[in-house]
Structure formats: C-alpha cells, structure tokens
Amino acid sequence: MAAFLTVALPAPHAHAASAGNATGATQSGDTITVTTSSGAAARVVLARADIFRIWLSPDGAFTDDPAGADLAVKTGFGPVGPTLTDAGTYYRISTPSISLRINKTPLTFALYRADNTTLVWAESEPTSWTGSQTTQYLTRGADEQFYGTGLRLGEWALRDKTVPIAVSNQWTENTNASPAPFYMSTNGYGVMRNTWSPGSYAFAAPTSLRHNENRFDAWYFAGDSLKDVLKGYTDVTGKPFLAPIWGLELGNADCFNASNSGYQGDHDRLRHQTTPDVVGYATDARTADMPSGWFLPNDGYGCGYTSLPETATQLKAKGFQTGLWTSTGLSGIDWEVGTAGSRAVKTDVAWIGGGYKTAFNGVKQAVEGIENNSDARRFVWTVDGWAGTHRNAVVWTGDTSGTWNAMRWHVPAIAGAGLSALNYATGDVDGIYGGSPKTYVRDLQWKAFTPAFMTMSGWGATNPSAGYQDKQPWRFAEPYLSINRKYLQLKMRLMPYMYTMSRNATDTGVPATRAMVLEYPNDSVARGNQTSGQFMAGDSFLVAPVVSDTTTRDGIYLPAGSWTDYWTGKVYNGPGWLSGYSAPLDTLPLFVKAGAVVPMWPQMNYTGEKSVSTLTYDIYPRGSSSFKLYEDDGVTRAYATGSYARQQVDVTAPTSGTGDVTIAVGASTGSYTGKPASRGYEFTVHSASAPGTVKVGGTALPALTTKADYDTATTGWYYDPSDRLGTLWVKAGGTGAAFTVTATDLTVPAGTAVTSTGPISQTNWKLAYVDSQETAAETGAATNAFDGNPGTMWHSRWSSGTNTLPHEIQIDLGARYDVDSVSYLPRQDGGVNGRIGSYEVYVSDSTTSWGTAVATGSFPDIATATRVSFTAKPGRYLRLRALTEAGSRGPWSSMAELTATGSPSP
C-alpha cells in the first residue's frame, strides 16, 4: 500500500545558544519588539486580548516565516491596545485577559492571568537553538495535564509522554498519523508552533518542546477552559469544515477496475473488472436494507477508472455519492468534479506521503478542485495532516489491521484528535488488513457514533467468511449482518443530532467526538487516561466501546449526574465506576446524559430517501435542559452565506421525584432550499410513571390503550411501562409554529449509584519480582503483563534452564489501594501455551509477608479475560501465583495483561 517514511529527530545539542539578556522593549501599536545582548530579537504580536504570537529570531531579523498564512489564516481581530510596562526585573504586556512577563536576565517569558499573579506557564530556562533545532523549556504544574498534537495513535492524556510531531507513516501505536504542532494544557492555554518543521514534545518536568529549525515562532491561546482554548486556536487557524451530510454516512473505497493492465493488485477479482461494477455493490447494499452513503471506486496504483459519469449517475440514483481515491494526484479533477459528478477525494500516501506542506498543499488542491467546479462542499480525506488540516479534511489512522489490539488504541486516538480540533477523525472499520466478523462488528458499533467513517475493501483476509475481503457490512452472515444493520440504522436515525454536533464544531472548534475531559474538565478521573477507552458523542451520549473478545465491559466511568442505559432504560448515578456491564456482541455500552434532548429522523438508508415529515425528539427529562437543532440543504455551500435554520427546544422537569414535564418547541427560524413549511412532531419521554394528562398548548391529547392504536393515530399519547423501564410516546401533530407539550405527573427515575471502585491505573506499576521470564528467545518479559498492550505478553522461561510450576509475578502498584478484583487476560497471539489454570492472588503492604490468599480458583482454558472479585483488601503489592497450566499442557505460564480494580487507601 505505502512506503514507510521516517523522519530523524536529532537529540538536543549540548552547545545550544540562547538570546542572552533583554536590553530593551519598544511598542508599535499591538507589536512589542525586544532587543537582546546577543543580537537576537523577540517580537510579541497581540492579535486579541487572549491571543498572541511570540517570534524569536536568532539573527534579529523577522524575514524567515515559512508557514506564512497557511496555518494562521486570521491574525487580526481589531485593535488590542496592550500596555507595556517596565517592572524592573521584567517588562509586562497587559490586556484585559493576560499579563505576559518578559524577564530580562536572562530573556525568558511567563504568562499570567490578567491579575499578574495567577501563573499560566513559565519558561524554566531560555529558549535555545543549535542551528538545526530550537527548544523551549516550560515548568510543569504539580497536576498539569496536556492534550493535543494531532491524531496521535494512542492515549490522549500526555503528561510524562514524549510525542513525535513528525510524519512517519508507520500507523502504529504511539506514532502520529496526522501530527499537529499544537497542544493545550489544563492550566488554561494552548500553543501552536508556526512551522512546517518536524519536532518532538516531551511533557516531562520541565516540558521540552523542540522543532527542527533555527527559529522560534508560536501562537498562544489563553482561556478559562479547554473549550475556550479550542475556540481561540480555531479562530486563528480556521474552524473545522462542515462536511456534506452524506459524508456522515458510511463510505467504502476499493478498486473496481481490476482488469486494467496497470493495476498492481489482483486482476481477476469478481465483480471488480470495470468501474461500473461498483453499482452492483450499491444494489447489494439497498437489497440488504443497509444504510451506506458513498463509494470511492478508484484507488490509483494503476487501477484508474472507466465510465465515471455513468457510474456516478447510477450510484446517485441509488442514494450514493461518488468520490475518487488517488495515488498520483489531481490532474483530472476539474473534469471529474465538474462533468463526471465526483464529490470526494481521498489523498494517498504514495502522493502526499512526504507530509507537511506537500500534503497540506495536496489537500488544498483537492478542496479547490471540488469547490471551484461545483457548488458542493469539500469532502477530502488525508492521512498526513498538520495544524490547519481540520478546516480542510477528514484524517484517518492509515493502513492498520483489524485486531482487538488495534481497536483498543483507536478509541483514544480518535477521541483525542478532537483535542486538536480535528472534528472528522477515524480509522478504517476493522482496519485495511486482516480482520474478522467479530472485530468488524465491534469496530463498526462505536465508529457509528463518530462523524465520519469508512470501510476499506480489497485487502482483508478471504477467510473466515466468504466475501470478507470486501469488508462491506452487508457481506456477512448472521448474526453479524443484522448487528451491522442495527448500528448503521441507528446512526441514520441520529443524523440530525450528529449533524448539529458537527455544525457546532464549525462554529466553536469543539469536536463532536469528545474526550471525557472536554465535558468534565474539573473531574480528576476524566482528566486522565483512565477514561481514554470511552468518549462523549456530542453533548448527550457516553460511548464505552468493547475492544476485546468478551461479552462483559468493565471499567466504565460515569461522571457526576444521572446516566440512562440507552438499551434498557436503567439509570445510574455518578460519579463512579460501572463494571460487569453485560455487552453481548450486539450491544455497545451506550449511556445518555440526564436532560438530553435528542432529535431523530424517520428510519432511512440514506439522506433524502424519505422526507423528514415527522421529527422525533427523544427526551431524558431531569431539571432544565435544551437543544438547538441545526438544519440546511446538506450538500451545498449556501449555509456559509446564511441559508440554514435552527430550532430551539427547552425542557423543564423535576430534578427528582414526580412532577410536570414541559417541552417548549420553538419555531424553526431561518431558511434554506428544501426546508419544509411544517412537519409532524413525535416525542419519546423517559419516565418511571404514566402521565396524568398530556396537552399540546391547552388541548388535551387522547390517551391510547395500545401501541398499535398509537402507531395508527395522528395525535395522542401512549405510555409503555415495559419500554426501557417506562416511555411516554406522544404524537403532537403537524405544525410550522412554536408549541408546547405538557405531561403531568411524570416521575424522574431515582437511579442506582455506581461505585467508587475503578481500574487501578497501570501508569505507576513496577515489577517487584518474577520467578521466570523468557527474554532470550522471545520478548516474554514480565513487564509485558501490565504494559497496557494486550499484544505483548509475559511468558515463563522456556529456551534454557529448568521451568517448573508454580510461577509467580509480584507487582508494586505505586501506591496503596483497597484492591477488590483482578482480571487475567491470556496471551492474544493465537497460542495456548502457558494459559494459567489454578491460581492464588495475594494483596499486601510487604513483599516478604503476603498473608492469606484473597482469591483462589482456576481460570478457564479460553482466550478471553476472566475477572476475579474478592473482599477488598488494602495493600501496595499484588501477587499472582500460577499453580498449574490450563489443560495440563506443560510447566509454563503466560499472560497478556493483568489488571486490577480498587480505590485509593490511606
């Protein structure tokens, strides 16, 4: 598929230079220039009271600006009028939002709030340069956390991590698929280095921020929250683009012109001989009643296309848009868009794999090719983004494989991308290589709750199911077929909610897919990687993907408030942890935030298949809440000049107990082509009791006795106590005006409190002792048992010496905990050798006195995890003894991961 491109990042030079001392500061309007004893100079430009640029030039000139206007597209927001003061040991630049200190001896910078007392960040030593790289050093707060750096493939909380800000095209965990020289901090600021040069950010103490250039140039964004910082960052770099609404539907890319002699793949693929063969796949999708929205029937690599206009026309007739995936460039895009009807571009690493400005320009060319030749919106995919890519393209994780392990790190990667304002970030469903029906289903489930997603056909394994190499969701046997349909249909019903979230991203810079910290920045658990395996889909949905071969999901963190299980209606009260959640293959753990107001379409397989003659609002009443629906024509750029509509819905309900629920639906304000003059409204209101009455305005609606009666009625209400523990169904009739629905005597569910017991973070775990480990013939080191990566394992020694049972591993948890469970995950490489049979578990404050085992038993001889719960015991050390091997196969022990739950103990 693509050659791996690597970038060498040299280590810091021992003889770096710096600016010396500040010798003077002068002001010209919103620009302050600082001279120094070395001849270097610094320039501070105030773009807004909360946004500024620091440009440090080693030679004192400000002529080298390689990024130009590519990254920072808006650098002025009107006069700022900063105040420059000589405060003795430092110069002070003041605005109503910030105080920037320029320390004189030596020259360093420090940012404070406007009070000049509350520290935001400070340089711990002068910025230095070697001729080939420049490094800034910042002090690190005691509990300061860091986020950003683009589409980083792994956990999104970056404290103590070193992140390459460089294009490598490796697409493996802890690399960066689309790096961005941007990060933000819980101290209330963000930084974008204004550069195309690769770098490396070490979020240690001190924090070291390096780029491979002999200059320093950075934009700073101050804010009271992470959302404020994202707004400032995207005010300067441009807001996330608004995709066409069909772009939120599932897409698929493949070569359908395999008979072309220049094609580098299999020339004999059935139903892939010429480009119009893709229409057969479109027919299959519709026959299978499977939602899907667009195809990319060209992958370059000699494939090319035939009969493109006819193919695009036939696909459009079936509700599909057509795009092109190219490895060679865009020489024909004017015709492909303007005449043939193509509406999307996927750039390929063979063309833009050099990254940086090359890739950025390629994406820009694709954007212009679409928008200069049609009234359509940009819809471009790239694998090598940079800062600013969020305004132009979808980014994805590259050529990855369909494995549980890859799925595990994809969840935080895609949620974390939003912390760099990348609203559209994804990975190929079940990867491009390998895969299985189970991993496909599980991956599709959670990605259906992200804005954009795509399958990559043609490179998967031909087994374990016929046709699986196509990775089309409709080319599966049951039960996988029905599960795929279930989640694709749900996404289509939720389209008005998800489209509104994407428009909010375009307005504010806050992504639709949100790491938990974005919604709960003051929750100490949500701030860190303990919640990196889950995310918020917009304002209302908490998604906790299942990323292993199991039917039980542990370690779901529910922040403060009430959360309703979307499938069962059971209510949980946070903050705390939910473990043992039943998640069979067809169930994605999904929770709805109290107060949620969720707009839903009628069921359809693609946008425009049916008119939205009735809009449903799914409501989870508790206290006061609201939602503002966004709508436009979905395909053109007319929205940018005001052609759109919004509708406000306000809900007032009891915070607990029984009372009246009032739903105030505002009139839809604004206009766009195709806007309905009126529509019907339906409400599903979740309540533990039936209402006394239901009225629209002052008119009582009739109570209907069965769901069948309700389904055929024009107006009325029906209460079903068995539907998710109680649902009130209301048909309010059709209107184009504002109206109010009032239901009396509804009961807000009390809910069940979750526990304070949660996963014990492995970050600070250390190996205390292991009796045997294989490090000669394979990487079977004991530390692999708690590295957070199921793809590695501990294996007892087998290549030399004796190997007798029992074996044991002792772990220092890093602090004292009341430990109440452990989970054992056997090796995940397909082997069975060393699976633990009978075991003993110990918890203690000492490795020399373990006392009595807290748990004993036998693990089943299976590849999935087994959780062992026991009465909580305090201790710092955890010990697992493997007494026998499962199946009596030999004297070995192996383990992919050992995890534990508990709560901090004094």
Side-chain angles (χ1 to χ4, degrees):
M1 284 295 299
F4 292 155
L5 305 177
T6 58
V7 176
L9 299 177
H13 198 281
H15 304 291
S18 62
N21 300 330
T23 56
T26 59
Q27 181 175 359
S28 176
D30 293 333
T31 300
I32 291 87
T33 301
V34 182
T35 56
T36 72
S37 58
S38 69
R43 177 180 287 175
V44 180
V45 180
L46 280 297
R48 204 167 69 188
D50 57 346
I51 298 174
F52 60 93
R53 179 185 185 185
I54 297 178
W55 188 353
L56 179 60
S57 171
D59 62 7
F62 296 97
T63 56
D64 181 18
D65 186 6
D70 288 330
L71 308 185
V73 295
K74 185 173 183 179
T75 59
F77 300 86
V80 179
T83 300
L84 176 64
T85 306
D86 189 335
T89 59
Y90 62 88
Y91 300 107
R92 177 186 174 191
I93 301 173
S94 304
T95 77
S97 299
I98 60 153
S99 287
L100 179 66
R101 293 187 186 184
I102 307 170
N103 299 308
K104 296 179 180 179
T105 308
L107 172 66
T108 57
F109 293 87
L111 181 66
Y112 290 77
R113 297 294 181 190
D115 61 12
N116 196 34
T117 300
T118 306
L119 180 65
V120 179
W121 60 259
E123 292 182 333
S124 59
E125 60 182 277
T127 294
S128 63
W129 53 86
T130 66
S132 61
Q133 59 187 216
T134 301
T135 307
Q136 182 188 41
Y137 305 91
L138 301 182
T139 59
R140 189 180 74 175
D143 63 348
E144 186 176 9
Q145 187 57 270
F146 305 90
Y147 315 103
T149 74
L151 178 55
R152 179 184 183 273
L153 306 187
E155 295 176 326
W156 44 255
L158 305 178
R159 183 181 174 95
D160 292 321
K161 296 184 186 295
T162 297
V163 182
I165 313 300
V167 173
S168 66
N169 292 324
Q170 294 178 3
W171 309 313
T172 54
E173 188 175 11
N174 294 322
T175 63
N176 212 323
S178 282
F182 167 81
Y183 75 91
M184 56 183 175
S185 159
T186 50
N187 277 10
Y189 76 95
V191 187
M192 181 190 73
R193 291 284 279 268
N194 196 42
T195 182
W196 291 114
S197 298
S200 177
Y201 295 172
F203 296 104
T207 296
S208 173
L209 309 159
R210 172 165 51 90
H211 279 275
N212 293 358
E213 59 182 355
N214 203 49
R215 61 191 294 276
F216 178 87
D217 188 356
W219 284 91
Y220 292 84
F221 315 95
D224 293 330
S225 68
L226 295 174
K227 289 183 178 181
D228 283 348
V229 173
L230 283 175
K231 182 180 184 302
Y233 171 55
T234 55
D235 283 345
V236 170
T237 59
K239 297 299 181 187
F241 76 102
L242 182 61
I245 196 165
W246 53 263
L248 276 62
E249 300 169 20
L250 182 69
N252 184 281
D254 199 356
C255 171
F256 283 91
N257 192 37
S259 62
N260 187 352
S261 61
Y263 179 51
Q264 298 173 23
D266 178 5
H267 289 272
D268 298 321
R269 287 188 67 195
L270 294 175
R271 304 180 71 197
H272 289 75
Q273 290 301 292
T274 62
T275 304
D277 282 352
V278 70
V279 179
Y281 275 70
T283 302
D284 291 346
R286 299 303 177 229
T287 300
D289 194 26
M290 191 75 70
S292 187
W294 49 281
F295 280 101
L296 302 179
N298 165 37
D299 71 355
Y301 298 97
C303 180
Y305 55 75
T306 60
S307 307
L308 186 61
E310 295 86 345
T311 300
T313 298
Q314 292 177 57
L315 286 176
K316 194 168 185 178
K318 295 181 180 297
F320 289 90
Q321 294 289 336
T322 302
L324 294 175
W325 163 24
T326 173
S327 64
T328 57
L330 299 169
S331 60
I333 194 169
D334 291 353
W335 177 86
E336 291 162 350
V337 172
T339 300
S342 178
R343 289 294 182 267
V345 172
K346 178 177 177 285
T347 62
D348 191 274
V349 71
W351 165 35
I352 51 87
Y356 311 104
K357 190 172 176 63
T358 298
F360 196 90
N361 287 345
V363 167
K364 183 179 178 182
Q365 183 185 358
V367 166
E368 292 170 348
I370 294 171
E371 296 191 350
N372 291 347
N373 293 285
S374 72
D375 63 355
R377 303 176 196 174
R378 62 194 67 181
F379 194 59
V380 179
W381 286 56
T382 189
V383 76
D384 285 319
W386 194 249
T389 294
H390 57 262
R391 69 178 185 261
N392 287 328
V394 181
V395 295
W396 89 99
T397 56
D399 294 351
T400 61
S401 294
T403 65
W404 295 113
N405 193 38
M407 198 187 313
R408 170 188 59 81
W409 56 255
H410 266 84
V411 176
I414 291 170
L419 296 169
S420 296
L422 291 161
N423 184 54
Y424 303 97
T426 190
D428 300 326
V429 175
D430 202 33
I432 182 172
Y433 303 118
S436 69
K438 278 189 178 181
T439 52
Y440 189 97
V441 162
R442 285 298 196 191
D443 210 31
L444 179 70
Q445 284 176 355
W446 70 269
K447 285 176 179 169
F449 281 84
T450 65
F453 63 149
M454 179 172 67
T455 66
M456 284 287 293
S457 295
W459 288 268
T462 56
N463 287 313
S465 59
Y468 186 71
Q469 68 270 24
D470 291 315
K471 291 204 175 186
Q472 309 277 8
W474 51 88
R475 288 176 66 83
F476 287 84
E478 296 291 359
Y480 315 107
L481 178 71
S482 292
I483 300 172
N484 292 339
R485 182 187 297 113
K486 170 182 174 179
Y487 285 92
L488 292 174
Q489 287 183 338
L490 179 57
K491 181 166 192 182
M492 289 304 302
R493 288 218 66 197
L494 291 173
M495 192 66 78
Y497 170 82
M498 294 189 170
Y499 192 57
T500 298
M501 292 299 109
S502 284
R503 176 59 202 246
N504 290 348
T506 298
D507 290 338
T508 67
V510 177
T513 304
R514 302 171 189 170
M516 297 303 295
V517 68
L518 266 184
E519 292 301 296
Y520 299 92
N522 298 320
D523 185 315
S524 60
V525 176
R527 284 163 61 114
N529 285 318
Q530 280 184 287
T531 62
S532 67
Q534 61 186 64
F535 60 89
M536 292 294 295
D539 300 326
S540 300
F541 289 98
L542 189 156
V543 183
V546 177
V547 296
S548 63
D549 190 4
T550 181
T551 58
T552 302
R553 176 62 155 88
D554 292 329
I556 302 170
Y557 183 71
L558 301 179
S562 294
W563 300 86
T564 300
D565 184 324
Y566 186 77
W567 310 111
T568 69
K570 184 174 181 179
V571 176
Y572 299 92
N573 298 327
W577 297 91
L578 178 62
S579 291
Y581 180 89
S582 178
L585 189 62
D586 69 340
T587 301
L588 169 73
L590 182 64
F591 302 87
V592 190
K593 186 177 180 179
V597 179
V598 180
M600 302 181 75
W601 277 353
Q603 189 66 68
M604 61 184 82
N605 283 330
Y606 59 91
T607 303
E609 181 186 25
K610 301 174 184 175
S611 66
V612 186
S613 56
T614 298
L615 187 65
T616 299
Y617 279 100
D618 189 27
I619 295 174
Y620 299 76
R622 190 179 296 264
S624 297
S625 58
S626 63
F627 187 89
K628 182 172 281 190
L629 174 70
Y630 172 82
E631 297 176 291
D632 60 25
D633 67 24
V635 291
T636 76
R637 302 192 299 279
Y639 77 92
T641 55
S643 294
Y644 58 83
R646 297 187 189 271
Q647 181 179 49
Q648 177 86 16
V649 178
D650 296 305
V651 178
T652 304
T655 56
S656 62
T658 300
D660 297 348
V661 173
T662 301
I663 306 165
V665 181
S668 177
T669 60
S671 180
Y672 59 88
T673 300
K675 178 184 175 181
S678 66
R679 59 166 46 129
Y681 288 91
E682 183 178 46
F683 303 89
T684 51
V685 185
H686 298 268
S687 168
S689 67
T693 61
V694 179
K695 295 181 179 180
V696 174
T699 303
L701 293 179
L704 303 168
T705 56
T706 68
K707 187 62 164 56
D709 291 340
Y710 173 85
D711 290 340
T712 58
T714 303
T715 60
W717 64 268
Y718 171 71
Y719 180 76
D720 186 348
S722 64
D723 180 7
R724 294 161 290 177
L725 299 183
T727 301
L728 168 64
W729 295 76
V730 179
K731 285 183 179 179
T735 182
F739 66 97
T740 299
V741 175
T742 301
T744 63
D745 302 326
L746 293 186
T747 301
V748 175
T752 301
V754 292
T755 70
S756 60
T757 295
I760 300 174
S761 174
Q762 296 173 310
T763 302
N764 297 317
W765 289 18
K766 295 180 181 178
L767 180 67
Y769 171 77
V770 66
D771 74 298
S772 177
Q773 58 182 335
E774 179 56 57
T775 57
E778 68 180 3
T779 307
T783 52
N784 290 336
F786 52 90
D787 62 356
N789 182 355
T792 62
M793 68 171 168
W794 162 51
H795 199 293
S796 58
R797 185 176 59 250
W798 56 265
S799 64
S800 62
T802 59
N803 193 314
T804 58
L805 288 161
H807 297 300
E808 71 174 84
I809 184 171
Q810 300 175 13
I811 297 170
D812 178 354
L813 300 176
R816 200 167 190 259
Y817 292 90
D818 289 324
V819 184
D820 61 9
S821 82
V822 296
S823 289
Y824 163 67
L825 180 67
R827 59 191 295 179
Q828 297 293 291
D829 61 352
V832 298
N833 180 294
R835 283 182 184 169
I836 297 173
S838 57
Y839 64 84
E840 296 173 345
V841 178
Y842 297 81
V843 177
S844 177
D845 284 316
S846 168
T847 58
T848 60
S849 178
W850 288 100
T852 304
V854 295
T856 61
S858 295
F859 292 121
D861 191 6
I862 57 176
T864 56
T866 300
R867 184 174 181 228
V868 178
S869 298
F870 42 83
T871 302
K873 182 179 180 183
R876 176 169 179 144
Y877 299 96
L878 177 65
R879 178 194 193 196
L880 174 66
R881 296 190 73 217
L883 306 180
T884 65
E885 182 176 353
S888 301
R889 283 182 285 266
W892 301 288
S893 295
S894 63
M895 178 161 54
E897 284 294 303
L898 181 67
T899 56
T901 64
S903 56
S905 178

